[in-house]
């Protein structure tokens, strides 16, 4: 998640923006004017600045220019009142990524703009990161079922062929897509991913193709789409089976002609991208039911690759679990976490219907329960209908063999919030989960 600085002289605006972004897991710092924002920027690094243009003392435009001179890698989103579009245009020319009209329409609009700004920052840094990570992608640790997958990816990578990755949810399709990109001739270009299931049909079309000013209500400026942002690189369409019929037709045209127009526009743009798609659905069965276009399927499945489930690659389970646990430990501020021999053996006995994603969740829960550097078998929750052998700190010394996972989770949340004096942000950090995840759990358990 990103570090974001919000500068606005209206306390209500600052609070609204901070709360909307903290729910997404971002770390937000606020400043009441441009001078305070400048002092904070000099002391701490941030990924994104959200600033009002009109503030007492140093105004937003001056602050923007200062950031551009001193920290050019920081993205900037400016806020401007209705009727001050000229100021917003000046800000865009000075290097702002985007502007939003005050009052901001909704938290969703704010979050989407912030997500796009952060994505652009990542794209601008991509080349340096790509050079540093050359050869770092590991898809397997010797599982025989993964041998043909890695070989196929290596062979198709140097070509421009469209690749369709098929497999159960959580099998690592995006990891495979990133490996394909890294091994290709486009490796120094951007890798842009879009989850077709995560956005509404209208929003997805704008995200894919971009839009022109005035194309629809709320389109107050021209916006480049993800396909444009991926020029010269790889465009990854995840969950492509979720596309509605109208968007399937539009995507087919882009694949066929390598051209597209922004929503509400007439100018034809080139689509210079390498296409990779992924799905966990049976597209052939969907075609038979008339839910997926046959011509689009054949455009996407030029080179289909099936990723085996985690239960089909037991040789990878141990090394993968160790890698994930190291990353989880770093995220929790507890580097060096290790699995005991008993925990490793227990992992091997579970079928992992949720694949790598489920494995990571299990390890994260276990890391939260483990007090020391070693995660033991008793810390693992591998069956939602039974309790782990260990209990959270709130119930140490009390064995609860019949307590459900949900009850234990609720107790852990209650204890974390109590330990942090009711501060939910710190409670989420204590639990090792995002603030938005914590709010979801509070709603689910009726604890709000």
């Amino acid at each position: 998640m990103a570090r974001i600085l919000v500068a606005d002289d209206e306390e209500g605006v600052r609070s609204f923006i901070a709360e909307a972004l903290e729910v997404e897991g971002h770390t937000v710092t606020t400043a009441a004017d441009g001078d305070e924002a400048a002092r904070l920027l000099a002391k701490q690094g941030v990924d994104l600045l959200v600033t009002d243009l009109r503030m007492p003392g140093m105004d937003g435009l001056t602050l923007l220019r200062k950031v551009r001179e001193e920290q050019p890698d920081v993205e900037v989103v400016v806020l401007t009142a209705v009727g001050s579009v000229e100021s917003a245009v000046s800000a865009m020319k000075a290097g702002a990524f985007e502007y939003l009209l005050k009052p901001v329409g909704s938290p969703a609009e704010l979050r989407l703009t912030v997500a796009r700004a952060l994505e652009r920052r990542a794209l601008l840094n991509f080349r340096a990161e790509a050079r540093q990570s050359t050869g770092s992608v590991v898809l397997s640790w010797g599982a025989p079922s993964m041998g043909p997958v890695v070989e196929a990816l290596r062979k198709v990578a140097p070509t421009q062929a469209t690749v369709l990755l098929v497999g159960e949810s959580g099998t690592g399709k995006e990891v495979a897509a990133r490996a394909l990109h890294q091994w290709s001739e486009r490796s120094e270009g951007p890798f842009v991913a879009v989850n077709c299931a995560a956005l509404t049909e209208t929003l997805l079309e704008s995200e894919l193709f971009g839009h022109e000013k005035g194309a629809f209500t709320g389109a107050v400026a021209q916006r480049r789409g993800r396909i444009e942002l991926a020029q010269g690189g790889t465009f990854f369409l995840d969950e492509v089976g979720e596309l509605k019929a109208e968007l399937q037709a539009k995507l087919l045209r882009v694949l066929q002609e390598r051209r597209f127009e922004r929503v509400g526009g007439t100018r034809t743009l080139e689509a210079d991208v390498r296409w990779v798609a992924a799905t966990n659905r049976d597209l052939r069965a969907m075609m038979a039911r008339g839910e997926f276009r046959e011509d689009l399927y054949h455009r996407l499945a030029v080179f289909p690759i099936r990723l085996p489930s985690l239960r089909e690659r037991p040789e990878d389970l141990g090394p993968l679990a160790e890698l994930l646990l190291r990353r989880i430990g770093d995220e929790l501020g507890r580097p060096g976490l290790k699995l005991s021999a008993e925990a490793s053996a227990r992992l091997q006995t579970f079928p992992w219907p949720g694949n790598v994603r489920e494995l990571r969740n299990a390890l994260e829960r276990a890391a939260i329960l483990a007090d020391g550097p070693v995660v033991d078998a008793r810390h693992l929750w591998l069956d939602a209908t039974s309790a782990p052998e260990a209990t959270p700190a709130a119930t140490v010394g009390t064995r609860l063999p019949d307590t459900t996972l949900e009850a234990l989770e609720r107790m852990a949340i209650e204890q974390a919030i109590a330990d942090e004096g009711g501060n939910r942000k710190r409670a989420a950090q204590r639990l090792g989960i995002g603030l938005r995840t914590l709010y979801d759990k509070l709603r689910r358990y009726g604890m709000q």
Side-chain angles (χ1 to χ4, degrees):
M1 292 292 100
R3 298 161 299 170
I4 300 173
L5 174 62
V6 178
D8 197 294
D9 58 330
E10 297 181 55
E11 195 280 331
V13 174
R14 295 196 303 271
S15 298
F16 168 78
I17 295 175
E19 183 176 345
L21 298 179
E22 285 176 342
V23 167
E24 290 286 294
H26 300 301
T27 300
V28 181
T29 305
T30 61
D33 54 47
D35 295 310
E36 183 182 1
R39 289 193 296 271
L40 289 170
L41 284 166
K43 292 191 300 183
Q44 62 187 50
V46 301
D47 303 304
L48 173 69
L49 167 67
V50 180
T51 180
D52 191 10
L53 285 181
R54 294 186 177 181
M55 295 183 290
M58 182 186 297
D59 62 23
L61 193 57
T62 303
L63 178 63
L64 167 61
R65 289 171 177 151
K66 182 178 179 64
V67 170
R68 278 287 150 265
E69 290 176 4
E70 299 176 1
Q71 301 182 44
D73 60 328
V74 174
E75 288 296 340
V76 181
V77 173
V78 299
L79 304 172
T80 183
V82 175
S84 303
V85 176
E86 296 80 5
S87 300
V89 171
S90 299
M92 299 292 282
K93 290 180 179 178
F97 168 77
E98 184 62 280
Y99 71 89
L100 290 172
L101 294 178
K102 296 175 66 176
V104 179
S106 68
E109 179 187 3
L110 172 66
R111 291 170 191 145
L112 180 58
T113 300
V114 165
R116 290 173 59 86
L118 294 172
E119 181 181 62
R120 180 174 183 268
R121 183 177 189 272
L123 293 175
L124 291 175
N125 293 333
F126 183 85
R127 291 187 177 183
E129 293 174 1
R131 292 191 187 100
Q132 293 173 3
S133 63
T134 300
S136 65
V137 175
V138 178
L139 294 176
S140 176
W141 288 263
S145 61
M146 282 296 291
V149 173
V150 176
E151 182 182 5
L153 288 169
R154 287 281 190 186
K155 286 186 175 180
V156 76
T159 74
Q160 296 300 314
T162 300
V163 176
L164 177 64
L165 302 172
V166 180
E168 296 177 8
S169 179
T171 50
K173 295 185 285 295
E174 183 168 345
V175 175
R178 290 184 180 275
L180 184 70
H181 171 73
Q182 186 172 306
W183 297 335
S184 75
E185 296 177 356
R186 294 174 174 263
S187 60
E188 292 196 352
F191 177 94
V192 177
V194 169
N195 188 324
C196 299
L199 299 169
T200 64
E201 184 175 0
T202 302
L203 197 55
L204 181 58
E205 183 176 7
S206 177
E207 282 294 289
L208 289 175
F209 305 116
H211 62 250
E212 298 290 351
K213 181 179 179 180
F216 50 83
T217 302
V220 296
Q222 182 192 84
R223 175 171 286 173
R224 299 169 67 200
R226 300 289 185 96
I227 296 176
E228 280 185 80
L229 293 174
Q231 293 295 308
T234 300
F235 191 79
F236 177 53
L237 273 170
D238 199 7
E239 303 293 356
V240 71
E242 305 302 323
L243 283 176
K244 302 300 182 184
E246 184 178 351
L247 269 180
Q248 289 181 32
K250 292 182 178 181
L251 177 61
L252 175 64
R253 181 189 168 228
V254 181
L255 288 167
Q256 288 175 332
E257 302 177 9
R258 301 278 175 174
R259 295 181 178 87
F260 66 98
E261 291 86 34
R262 297 192 188 105
V263 176
T266 57
R267 185 162 63 97
T268 300
L269 305 171
E270 297 291 328
D272 178 22
V273 300
R274 169 46 167 317
W275 294 93
V276 181
T279 183
N280 60 8
R281 301 187 66 179
D282 186 342
L283 295 186
R284 288 188 176 276
M286 291 179 66
M287 285 191 294
R289 296 192 300 268
E291 297 173 358
F292 200 85
R293 294 179 64 111
E294 184 175 354
D295 46 7
L296 177 58
Y297 172 80
H298 290 300
R299 282 284 177 180
L300 292 172
V302 174
F303 199 93
I305 300 176
R306 177 187 172 273
L307 272 70
S309 63
L310 191 55
R311 59 188 171 276
E312 296 176 79
R313 39 188 294 208
E315 298 84 359
D316 287 345
L317 183 58
L320 177 60
E322 292 172 3
L323 173 64
L324 292 174
L325 189 60
R326 283 198 299 271
R327 292 177 179 173
I328 291 167
D330 292 339
E331 292 170 5
L332 295 177
R334 295 166 56 195
L337 286 179
K338 295 183 179 299
L339 285 166
S340 69
E342 293 78 9
S344 296
R346 190 174 181 195
L347 292 177
Q348 293 286 349
T349 66
F350 195 69
W352 302 110
N355 295 293
V356 180
R357 191 173 294 120
E358 184 179 12
L359 173 62
R360 194 191 193 287
N361 289 344
L363 291 172
E364 185 171 358
R365 290 193 298 265
I368 293 170
L369 288 174
D371 294 323
V374 178
V375 172
D376 205 353
R378 67 181 185 276
H379 300 134
L380 293 167
W381 299 354
L382 302 185
D383 183 354
T385 63
S386 64
E389 294 176 27
T391 58
T395 55
V396 169
T398 305
R399 189 170 178 83
L400 302 170
D402 299 320
T403 304
T404 64
L405 183 151
E406 288 82 2
L408 286 169
E409 187 172 54
R410 178 171 179 149
M411 283 189 288
I413 291 171
E414 288 175 339
Q415 186 65 38
I417 292 175
D419 290 345
E420 296 297 341
N423 188 306
R424 294 180 176 182
K425 182 179 179 181
R426 290 201 300 267
Q429 293 171 344
R430 186 185 189 93
L431 291 166
I433 60 178
L435 184 59
R436 187 173 187 176
T437 301
L438 176 60
Y439 277 111
D440 288 342
K441 293 180 183 298
L442 290 173
R443 281 193 294 271
R444 186 193 315 160
Y445 296 137
M447 298 168 62
Q448 288 185 309

mmCIF file of all heavy atoms in Angstrom, residues 127-154:
data_model
loop_
_atom_site.group_PDB
_atom_site.id
_atom_site.type_symbol
_atom_site.label_atom_id
_atom_site.label_comp_id
_atom_site.label_asym_id
_atom_site.label_seq_id
_atom_site.Cartn_x
_atom_site.Cartn_y
_atom_site.Cartn_z
ATOM 1 N N ARG A 127 11.220 0.294 -15.551
ATOM 2 C CA ARG A 127 12.444 -0.153 -16.209
ATOM 3 C C ARG A 127 13.557 -0.466 -15.215
ATOM 4 O O ARG A 127 14.235 -1.485 -15.324
ATOM 5 C CB ARG A 127 12.907 0.903 -17.213
ATOM 6 C CG ARG A 127 11.981 1.015 -18.403
ATOM 7 C CD ARG A 127 12.530 1.916 -19.465
ATOM 8 N NE ARG A 127 11.646 1.946 -20.622
ATOM 9 C CZ ARG A 127 11.896 2.608 -21.732
ATOM 10 N NH1 ARG A 127 13.004 3.309 -21.849
ATOM 11 N NH2 ARG A 127 11.049 2.571 -22.738
ATOM 12 N N ALA A 128 13.731 0.423 -14.224
ATOM 13 C CA ALA A 128 14.764 0.169 -13.222
ATOM 14 C C ALA A 128 14.451 -1.091 -12.428
ATOM 15 O O ALA A 128 15.331 -1.914 -12.168
ATOM 16 C CB ALA A 128 14.895 1.362 -12.281
ATOM 17 N N GLU A 129 13.178 -1.245 -12.068
ATOM 18 C CA GLU A 129 12.787 -2.436 -11.312
ATOM 19 C C GLU A 129 12.968 -3.697 -12.138
ATOM 20 O O GLU A 129 13.379 -4.739 -11.630
ATOM 21 C CB GLU A 129 11.329 -2.309 -10.872
ATOM 22 C CG GLU A 129 11.093 -1.201 -9.860
ATOM 23 C CD GLU A 129 9.630 -1.010 -9.562
ATOM 24 O OE1 GLU A 129 8.817 -1.762 -10.152
ATOM 25 O OE2 GLU A 129 9.294 -0.138 -8.758
ATOM 26 N N ALA A 130 12.662 -3.618 -13.428
ATOM 27 C CA ALA A 130 12.789 -4.787 -14.300
ATOM 28 C C ALA A 130 14.243 -5.233 -14.406
ATOM 29 O O ALA A 130 14.553 -6.419 -14.378
ATOM 30 C CB ALA A 130 12.236 -4.468 -15.680
ATOM 31 N N ARG A 131 15.147 -4.260 -14.503
ATOM 32 C CA ARG A 131 16.571 -4.613 -14.600
ATOM 33 C C ARG A 131 17.051 -5.278 -13.317
ATOM 34 O O ARG A 131 17.830 -6.221 -13.340
ATOM 35 C CB ARG A 131 17.393 -3.355 -14.874
ATOM 36 C CG ARG A 131 17.157 -2.760 -16.251
ATOM 37 C CD ARG A 131 18.183 -1.692 -16.562
ATOM 38 N NE ARG A 131 17.864 -1.010 -17.803
ATOM 39 C CZ ARG A 131 17.262 0.177 -17.874
ATOM 40 N NH1 ARG A 131 16.935 0.808 -16.762
ATOM 41 N NH2 ARG A 131 17.005 0.733 -19.037
ATOM 42 N N GLN A 132 16.565 -4.766 -12.176
ATOM 43 C CA GLN A 132 16.986 -5.337 -10.900
ATOM 44 C C GLN A 132 16.437 -6.741 -10.685
ATOM 45 O O GLN A 132 17.049 -7.567 -10.016
ATOM 46 C CB GLN A 132 16.524 -4.441 -9.754
ATOM 47 C CG GLN A 132 17.218 -3.096 -9.736
ATOM 48 C CD GLN A 132 16.637 -2.167 -8.698
ATOM 49 O OE1 GLN A 132 15.747 -2.544 -7.950
ATOM 50 N NE2 GLN A 132 17.135 -0.935 -8.659
ATOM 51 N N SER A 133 15.271 -7.018 -11.257
ATOM 52 C CA SER A 133 14.604 -8.303 -10.980
ATOM 53 C C SER A 133 14.816 -9.337 -12.062
ATOM 54 O O SER A 133 14.180 -10.377 -12.054
ATOM 55 C CB SER A 133 13.099 -8.055 -10.809
ATOM 56 O OG SER A 133 12.536 -7.561 -12.007
ATOM 57 N N THR A 134 15.712 -9.058 -13.036
ATOM 58 C CA THR A 134 15.929 -10.006 -14.117
ATOM 59 C C THR A 134 16.308 -11.377 -13.570
ATOM 60 O O THR A 134 17.223 -11.523 -12.764
ATOM 61 C CB THR A 134 17.042 -9.492 -15.050
ATOM 62 O OG1 THR A 134 16.635 -8.237 -15.590
ATOM 63 C CG2 THR A 134 17.316 -10.472 -16.168
ATOM 64 N N GLY A 135 15.585 -12.384 -13.992
ATOM 65 C CA GLY A 135 15.864 -13.748 -13.572
ATOM 66 C C GLY A 135 15.295 -14.117 -12.217
ATOM 67 O O GLY A 135 15.542 -15.201 -11.722
ATOM 68 N N SER A 136 14.552 -13.209 -11.577
ATOM 69 C CA SER A 136 14.095 -13.455 -10.211
ATOM 70 C C SER A 136 12.786 -14.244 -10.141
ATOM 71 O O SER A 136 12.405 -14.681 -9.076
ATOM 72 C CB SER A 136 13.923 -12.124 -9.467
ATOM 73 O OG SER A 136 12.902 -11.359 -10.063
ATOM 74 N N VAL A 137 12.077 -14.380 -11.263
ATOM 75 C CA VAL A 137 10.792 -15.070 -11.232
ATOM 76 C C VAL A 137 11.005 -16.566 -11.053
ATOM 77 O O VAL A 137 11.729 -17.195 -11.827
ATOM 78 C CB VAL A 137 9.986 -14.800 -12.514
ATOM 79 C CG1 VAL A 137 8.712 -15.618 -12.516
ATOM 80 C CG2 VAL A 137 9.656 -13.323 -12.620
ATOM 81 N N VAL A 138 10.387 -17.140 -10.028
ATOM 82 C CA VAL A 138 10.457 -18.578 -9.794
ATOM 83 C C VAL A 138 9.036 -19.125 -9.890
ATOM 84 O O VAL A 138 8.169 -18.742 -9.112
ATOM 85 C CB VAL A 138 11.059 -18.903 -8.415
ATOM 86 C CG1 VAL A 138 11.071 -20.410 -8.186
ATOM 87 C CG2 VAL A 138 12.461 -18.336 -8.302
ATOM 88 N N LEU A 139 8.802 -20.000 -10.841
ATOM 89 C CA LEU A 139 7.478 -20.582 -11.022
ATOM 90 C C LEU A 139 7.357 -21.951 -10.388
ATOM 91 O O LEU A 139 6.253 -22.414 -10.104
ATOM 92 C CB LEU A 139 7.149 -20.686 -12.522
ATOM 93 C CG LEU A 139 6.985 -19.357 -13.262
ATOM 94 C CD1 LEU A 139 6.750 -19.609 -14.743
ATOM 95 C CD2 LEU A 139 5.831 -18.559 -12.680
ATOM 96 N N SER A 140 8.479 -22.622 -10.177
ATOM 97 C CA SER A 140 8.427 -23.972 -9.630
ATOM 98 C C SER A 140 9.751 -24.320 -8.980
ATOM 99 O O SER A 140 10.802 -23.739 -9.304
ATOM 100 C CB SER A 140 8.105 -24.983 -10.743
ATOM 101 O OG SER A 140 8.131 -26.306 -10.249
ATOM 102 N N TRP A 141 9.689 -25.269 -8.061
ATOM 103 C CA TRP A 141 10.890 -25.776 -7.393
ATOM 104 C C TRP A 141 11.099 -27.253 -7.731
ATOM 105 O O TRP A 141 11.624 -28.012 -6.925
ATOM 106 C CB TRP A 141 10.757 -25.592 -5.886
ATOM 107 C CG TRP A 141 10.876 -24.170 -5.446
ATOM 108 C CD1 TRP A 141 11.998 -23.546 -4.968
ATOM 109 C CD2 TRP A 141 9.847 -23.188 -5.424
ATOM 110 N NE1 TRP A 141 11.726 -22.238 -4.666
ATOM 111 C CE2 TRP A 141 10.411 -21.984 -4.935
ATOM 112 C CE3 TRP A 141 8.500 -23.196 -5.782
ATOM 113 C CZ2 TRP A 141 9.679 -20.815 -4.793
ATOM 114 C CZ3 TRP A 141 7.771 -22.025 -5.650
ATOM 115 C CH2 TRP A 141 8.360 -20.858 -5.163
ATOM 116 N N GLY A 142 10.699 -27.643 -8.915
ATOM 117 C CA GLY A 142 10.965 -29.002 -9.358
ATOM 118 C C GLY A 142 9.764 -29.898 -9.490
ATOM 119 O O GLY A 142 9.925 -31.104 -9.748
ATOM 120 N N ALA A 143 8.546 -29.385 -9.354
ATOM 121 C CA ALA A 143 7.362 -30.229 -9.519
ATOM 122 C C ALA A 143 7.260 -30.691 -10.963
ATOM 123 O O ALA A 143 7.273 -29.858 -11.877
ATOM 124 C CB ALA A 143 6.101 -29.459 -9.123
ATOM 125 N N PRO A 144 7.166 -32.000 -11.218
ATOM 126 C CA PRO A 144 7.081 -32.497 -12.601
ATOM 127 C C PRO A 144 5.925 -31.896 -13.387
ATOM 128 O O PRO A 144 6.042 -31.661 -14.587
ATOM 129 C CB PRO A 144 6.909 -34.012 -12.410
ATOM 130 C CG PRO A 144 7.524 -34.306 -11.082
ATOM 131 C CD PRO A 144 7.231 -33.111 -10.239
ATOM 132 N N SER A 145 4.800 -31.616 -12.716
ATOM 133 C CA SER A 145 3.641 -31.077 -13.424
ATOM 134 C C SER A 145 3.875 -29.664 -13.917
ATOM 135 O O SER A 145 3.171 -29.185 -14.821
ATOM 136 C CB SER A 145 2.414 -31.091 -12.502
ATOM 137 O OG SER A 145 2.632 -30.285 -11.360
ATOM 138 N N MET A 146 4.869 -28.961 -13.347
ATOM 139 C CA MET A 146 5.152 -27.591 -13.765
ATOM 140 C C MET A 146 6.205 -27.519 -14.856
ATOM 141 O O MET A 146 6.373 -26.470 -15.490
ATOM 142 C CB MET A 146 5.616 -26.767 -12.560
ATOM 143 C CG MET A 146 4.495 -26.322 -11.644
ATOM 144 S SD MET A 146 3.329 -25.187 -12.461
ATOM 145 C CE MET A 146 4.365 -23.736 -12.662
ATOM 146 N N GLY A 147 6.908 -28.632 -15.100
ATOM 147 C CA GLY A 147 7.945 -28.626 -16.130
ATOM 148 C C GLY A 147 7.427 -28.194 -17.492
ATOM 149 O O GLY A 147 7.990 -27.276 -18.126
ATOM 150 N N PRO A 148 6.348 -28.828 -18.007
ATOM 151 C CA PRO A 148 5.825 -28.421 -19.319
ATOM 152 C C PRO A 148 5.316 -26.984 -19.332
ATOM 153 O O PRO A 148 5.372 -26.318 -20.368
ATOM 154 C CB PRO A 148 4.672 -29.413 -19.543
ATOM 155 C CG PRO A 148 4.971 -30.585 -18.664
ATOM 156 C CD PRO A 148 5.657 -30.011 -17.470
ATOM 157 N N VAL A 149 4.822 -26.491 -18.197
ATOM 158 C CA VAL A 149 4.315 -25.113 -18.118
ATOM 159 C C VAL A 149 5.470 -24.123 -18.311
ATOM 160 O O VAL A 149 5.385 -23.190 -19.112
ATOM 161 C CB VAL A 149 3.605 -24.865 -16.781
ATOM 162 C CG1 VAL A 149 3.222 -23.395 -16.624
ATOM 163 C CG2 VAL A 149 2.374 -25.749 -16.666
ATOM 164 N N VAL A 150 6.537 -24.318 -17.558
ATOM 165 C CA VAL A 150 7.683 -23.420 -17.654
ATOM 166 C C VAL A 150 8.291 -23.479 -19.059
ATOM 167 O O VAL A 150 8.638 -22.442 -19.643
ATOM 168 C CB VAL A 150 8.739 -23.777 -16.588
ATOM 169 C CG1 VAL A 150 9.981 -22.914 -16.748
ATOM 170 C CG2 VAL A 150 8.155 -23.613 -15.184
ATOM 171 N N GLU A 151 8.388 -24.688 -19.607
ATOM 172 C CA GLU A 151 8.939 -24.832 -20.962
ATOM 173 C C GLU A 151 8.083 -24.102 -21.990
ATOM 174 O O GLU A 151 8.606 -23.394 -22.873
ATOM 175 C CB GLU A 151 9.033 -26.316 -21.332
ATOM 176 C CG GLU A 151 9.644 -26.548 -22.710
ATOM 177 C CD GLU A 151 9.689 -28.023 -23.086
ATOM 178 O OE1 GLU A 151 9.152 -28.847 -22.317
ATOM 179 O OE2 GLU A 151 10.260 -28.339 -24.146
ATOM 180 N N ALA A 152 6.762 -24.233 -21.869
ATOM 181 C CA ALA A 152 5.860 -23.561 -22.809
ATOM 182 C C ALA A 152 5.971 -22.048 -22.689
ATOM 183 O O ALA A 152 6.011 -21.323 -23.700
ATOM 184 C CB ALA A 152 4.421 -24.006 -22.563
ATOM 185 N N LEU A 153 6.031 -21.534 -21.471
ATOM 186 C CA LEU A 153 6.164 -20.093 -21.270
ATOM 187 C C LEU A 153 7.476 -19.579 -21.848
ATOM 188 O O LEU A 153 7.517 -18.507 -22.466
ATOM 189 C CB LEU A 153 6.069 -19.758 -19.781
ATOM 190 C CG LEU A 153 4.690 -19.892 -19.132
ATOM 191 C CD1 LEU A 153 4.804 -19.799 -17.615
ATOM 192 C CD2 LEU A 153 3.741 -18.818 -19.651
ATOM 193 N N ARG A 154 8.552 -20.337 -21.642
ATOM 194 C CA ARG A 154 9.863 -19.929 -22.172
ATOM 195 C C ARG A 154 9.848 -19.881 -23.703
ATOM 196 O O ARG A 154 10.427 -18.982 -24.313
ATOM 197 C CB ARG A 154 10.933 -20.918 -21.703
ATOM 198 C CG ARG A 154 11.296 -20.809 -20.242
ATOM 199 C CD ARG A 154 12.234 -19.656 -19.978
ATOM 200 N NE ARG A 154 12.763 -19.672 -18.630
ATOM 201 C CZ ARG A 154 13.524 -18.696 -18.134
ATOM 202 N NH1 ARG A 154 13.834 -17.653 -18.891
ATOM 203 N NH2 ARG A 154 13.954 -18.755 -16.896
#
